[in-house]
Amino acid sequence: QVQPVESGGSSVQAGGSLRLSCVLSGSTRDRGAYAMGWFRQAPGKDREFVACVSWSSENSDYADSVKGRFTISRDRAKNTMDLQMSSMKPEDTAVYYCAAAATLSGSRVYSSPTSYNYWGQGTQVTVSS
């Protein structure tokens, strides 16, 4: 069983920066090819796509609302994925979730939450104005 575990959530002022991390835990025999992504859910709203990266790290994609402000990266050797967030806004306030999608494609990215098999418990990010 593969389990994403997030960390790094905190409170930050508008305009500030924060870095979220996700570790993909599980036995080595379960560690096949996984594309990974970040999603977020604000109170009273649906879960929404933030960013995703392919297994090979060759490709990534971002929601329009975070393009130019957030950067996704991963380290396959360490089974980790990070989300560097800068120029943060109050509307970035949400619970952020890390997710992993089993894939046969090293270069494909997935922006739909239905593509993901495994989800973390979430980490709270609060941006104050």
Side-chain angles (χ1 to χ4, degrees):
Q1 184 73 14
V2 173
Q3 179 62 51
V5 180
E6 308 96 337
S7 63
S10 182
S11 296
V12 63
Q13 289 193 329
S17 299
L18 197 62
R19 189 177 188 92
L20 302 182
S21 295
C22 176
V23 175
L24 198 59
S25 64
S27 65
T28 52
R29 65 181 179 184
D30 290 333
R31 290 177 183 167
Y34 293 96
M36 298 185 74
W38 288 99
F39 293 78
R40 66 187 182 187
Q41 187 166 18
K45 295 187 177 181
D46 294 333
R47 188 170 298 189
E48 65 173 4
F49 166 70
V50 176
C52 59
V53 62
S54 62
W55 166 246
S56 66
S57 299
E58 174 183 356
N59 295 315
S60 60
D61 194 16
Y62 297 89
D64 288 343
S65 59
V66 306
K67 279 182 181 177
R69 300 188 299 121
F70 291 10
T71 302
I72 192 171
S73 61
R74 71 182 297 173
D75 184 333
R76 278 170 48 188
K78 297 181 180 179
N79 280 309
T80 60
M81 175 181 66
D82 289 347
L83 184 69
Q84 178 66 46
M85 305 183 289
S86 60
S87 302
M88 297 187 72
K89 304 175 181 180
E91 50 263 45
D92 294 323
T93 295
V95 177
Y96 283 69
Y97 296 91
C98 171
T103 181
L104 298 178
S105 170
S107 60
R108 188 171 176 181
V109 292
Y110 303 89
S111 59
S112 170
T114 60
S115 298
Y116 289 83
N117 314 92
Y118 305 99
W119 291 84
Q121 294 299 308
T123 186
Q124 177 69 47
V125 172
T126 303
V127 185
S128 58
S129 57

